[in-house]
Amino acid sequence: MQLTCLDDDPRMERTLRRFAGRLGHELRFHGSADAFKLDVLINPPALMVIDLELGHETGVDVVLWLSQQAIRAPLVLLSGHGDELLDTARRIASASGLPVLGAVNKASMVRELPPLLERIAPSPRHTPPARGAPFTLDGQRLAAHIHAGRIEPFFQPIVAGDGILRDAEVLTRLRLPDGEVLGAQHIVPLAESSGLIPALTEALFESLLASRETLAALALDHLSVNLSVVQLDVALTTALVRRLIDGLTGCCDVRVELTESATLADSQAVRELGAQLRLAGASLAMDDFGTGYSSLRALAELPYDTLKVDLCFVAELFDSHKAERLLGAILALCDSLGLQVVAEGVETIAQAEWLCDAGVDRLQGYLFGAPMPLDELVSRFGLDA
Ligand code: C2E
Ligand code: CA
Ligand code: CA
């Protein structure tokens, strides 16, 4: 395999040549950005190693140039400036469409770089063709689907550290007459922008109430529902949740997940909603914690008892030491505030083990199951399963 490297420190050539030689890779080493660029255009590499500190033209400039040229060979970033800078540079490269295999601090290069060099395989040089046009649905059609009873709840399992089902999150789906199922991203933003959220929420809750007997077979602690706070009508929303709580009495408790979008929501109305929901007996979870929409300010202002750590933290868990430390700090915060913690987006056993060891109470993600129809949830997790 061909390994093309850019580092203005000539001593690096010997080290990299040693690593590459052991793995049987061909090394092409360049001390200047211009020579590196010319070479990757002529000889597409299987892997690129780029030092961030190069002088006037930095490694970040080179990364952006690679992106402009649509050169998509896997990339390893090197830096002597520490993990924080590496982490940000890795984000820049990934967001520019470059597959980043790793970001390595030069201080730990001898240990961390060789395993990355072992992982290279031939990769396409150009980006794959763009996908087809996105699906379009307008407010009028959505309203008609809602009235025709086509809103369907899907359920995603939420488990404890022992893998046993404890809660489930309800996620909206739209089942079209031809059987195609549309995801929440096609429905919720449109419902928000066209004033259809109350109708959507009501349709979803009615469907949950109609499935009460089946839900009871799951013996859940909580059934989680998502509420939108855009153009919020507190009285109407509280009434809908009360009806759900009453209808599911003896079956499971109701948890409401809120993401507070500071720019779109009326914060006094969101405070009122939070208070009314807790008084009605609902549990209250802050969704997507750690993203721009769920802040420490909202944590201070609303009566949350649960915090859902956004899936981006879980996805990045093993990418950098910073990610692990950040997650550890979030868990310490939850511990001191007495909040139950649910980690979202758990996809691997390694993530689940790390999270449980770190004190996360509940796990949710594709590792345990994607959102699914109720009968599937019951057949996989029901008491008789
Ligand atoms: P959310 O509440 O954060 O829901 C979690 C989303 O992450 C779901 O997407 C789920 O399918 C996805 N997910 C679950 N596990 C994994 C995983 O392991 N990896 C990855 N990459 N993704 C995972 P979905 O169903 O498309 O929902 C998107 C968003 O739409 C939800 O985000 C929620 O904010 C909103 N939403 C869904 N249903 C409703 C609803 O009934 N009402 C309102 N207001 N919003 C809803
Ligand atoms: Ca949610
Ligand atoms: Ca979430």
Side-chain angles (χ1 to χ4, degrees):
M1 288 305 167
Q2 182 187 306
L3 186 62
T4 306
C5 302
L6 170 59
D7 196 320
D8 63 350
D9 179 353
R11 290 168 303 176
M12 285 292 293
E13 179 168 2
R14 226 181 37 198
T15 313
L16 288 167
R17 212 164 275 295
R18 210 174 60 231
F19 292 160
R22 271 195 226 136
L23 296 165
H25 297 326
E26 177 204 346
L27 178 76
R28 302 173 74 88
F29 187 90
H30 301 285
S32 82
D34 286 343
F36 172 86
K37 288 176 181 175
L38 190 64
D39 191 22
V40 294
L41 285 174
I42 299 167
N43 302 297
L47 177 80
M48 301 178 288
V49 177
I50 298 177
D51 181 30
L52 293 179
E53 295 89 27
L54 296 171
H56 181 63
E57 186 172 10
T58 68
V60 172
D61 294 318
V62 175
V63 161
L64 296 174
W65 176 85
L66 288 166
S67 165
Q68 276 165 9
Q69 300 298 317
I71 294 172
R72 296 284 181 268
L75 179 69
V76 173
L77 298 170
L78 286 181
S79 170
H81 266 94
D83 289 345
E84 312 290 301
L85 173 64
L86 271 168
D87 191 51
T88 303
R90 183 176 56 76
R91 285 167 202 276
I92 293 171
S94 300
S96 309
L98 295 169
V100 184
L101 272 192
V104 176
N105 195 326
K106 281 190 174 173
S108 46
M109 191 177 77
V110 175
R111 196 180 64 248
E112 292 181 10
L113 191 55
L116 293 175
L117 302 188
E118 273 184 53
R119 285 173 41 193
I120 58 175
S123 75
R125 188 165 169 245
H126 295 284
T127 32
R131 286 193 224 122
F135 179 89
T136 50
L137 181 72
D138 60 22
Q140 231 176 353
R141 286 198 192 107
L142 178 59
H145 288 309
I146 294 173
H147 289 121
R150 300 198 180 112
I151 292 298
E152 183 177 324
F154 269 37
F155 298 79
Q156 187 171 32
I158 300 176
V159 305
D162 52 13
I164 292 177
L165 182 78
R166 297 294 162 87
D167 309 324
E169 177 174 359
V170 177
L171 293 152
T172 296
R173 298 291 183 266
L174 172 58
R175 193 177 287 275
L176 295 172
D178 65 1
E180 189 188 353
V181 175
L182 295 187
Q185 77 276 19
H186 296 296
I187 313 164
V188 176
L190 178 60
E192 284 178 345
S193 62
S194 48
L196 289 169
I197 280 288
L200 177 77
T201 308
E202 188 172 4
L204 191 72
F205 286 9
E206 286 308 313
S207 171
L208 294 174
L209 290 169
S211 306
R212 191 201 131 87
E213 297 310 317
T214 319
L215 275 169
L218 290 163
L220 296 172
D221 291 340
H222 297 98
L223 186 67
S224 270
V225 294
N226 293 279
L227 281 187
S228 177
V229 293
V230 176
Q231 290 166 2
L232 180 62
D233 180 332
V234 178
L236 177 64
T237 311
T238 309
L240 287 174
V241 176
R242 269 185 199 284
R243 190 172 142 69
L244 186 67
I245 293 172
D246 290 347
L248 295 179
T249 303
C251 173
C252 55
D253 289 339
V254 171
R255 172 170 285 159
V256 171
E257 300 190 4
L258 293 181
T259 41
E260 200 200 17
S261 165
T263 47
L264 294 173
D266 166 357
S267 50
Q268 176 67 358
V270 178
R271 275 185 222 113
E272 272 175 49
L273 179 72
Q276 297 292 16
L277 293 178
R278 286 302 298 271
L279 288 167
S283 153
L284 196 63
M286 178 184 282
D287 206 354
D288 304 341
F289 181 75
T291 65
Y293 297 123
S294 282
S295 65
L296 286 176
R297 189 68 243 146
L299 206 51
E301 293 208 359
L302 291 169
Y304 289 112
D305 55 36
T306 305
L307 184 142
K308 298 192 75 174
V309 180
D310 189 67
L311 43 83
C312 68
F313 287 96
V314 177
E316 293 176 351
L317 184 53
F318 301 123
D319 285 356
S320 70
H321 299 303
K322 184 179 178 179
E324 284 187 30
R325 289 198 302 268
L326 258 177
L327 207 41
I330 293 173
L331 296 176
L333 175 78
C334 291
D335 190 40
S336 65
L337 293 175
L339 296 168
Q340 190 182 67
V341 185
V342 182
E344 295 188 282
V346 182
E347 295 184 357
T348 68
I349 292 172
Q351 288 168 342
E353 284 176 349
W354 191 99
L355 293 162
C356 287
D357 287 349
V360 167
D361 304 289
R362 299 282 182 267
L363 305 168
Q364 178 179 359
Y366 296 156
L367 180 64
F368 310 101
M372 59 189 91
L374 184 56
D375 52 358
E376 193 180 328
L377 188 77
V378 171
S379 68
R380 284 180 56 183
F381 292 93
L383 295 177
D384 303 331

